Amino acid sequence: MGIGTSIFLLAAGAILTFALDASIGGVDLDVVGWILMAAGVLGLVMTALVWGRRREVVTTTEPVEYRRVEERRDVAPPL
């Protein structure tokens, strides 16, 4: 679930919980709204955890003897 879907679930749940005063036979829209908001929050947390792991920096170190140093002879050295 992405960030957009999570925000949509939060918004839809908030609308069902706080903005509507309707009832459908045997279904409590307040409870459905709270469930949708909980799913949206859970989706945001999970998305943050997954994307947070992808942003780790991975570096490799090469042994000194394998590094290549190029020297340009057509340009004067900096002062």
Side-chain angles (χ1 to χ4, degrees):
M1 180 180 326
I3 293 174
T5 306
S6 299
I7 292 174
F8 174 77
L9 288 176
L10 281 169
I15 289 170
L16 287 176
T17 302
F18 304 117
L20 288 181
D21 264 346
S23 62
I24 298 176
V27 177
D28 189 2
L29 291 181
D30 288 341
V31 173
V32 173
W34 283 109
I35 291 171
L36 288 176
M37 286 192 291
V41 168
L42 182 64
L44 278 176
V45 169
M46 296 300 292
T47 302
L49 289 175
V50 169
W51 282 102
R53 289 186 184 168
R54 288 187 181 176
R55 296 181 189 264
E56 288 180 4
V57 177
V58 177
T59 59
T60 58
T61 57
E62 294 179 353
V64 175
E65 61 267 6
Y66 294 120
R67 292 185 187 157
R68 182 176 174 182
V69 177
E70 294 184 11
E71 185 177 310
R72 293 185 62 179
R73 297 181 188 270
D74 60 339
V75 178
L79 299 175

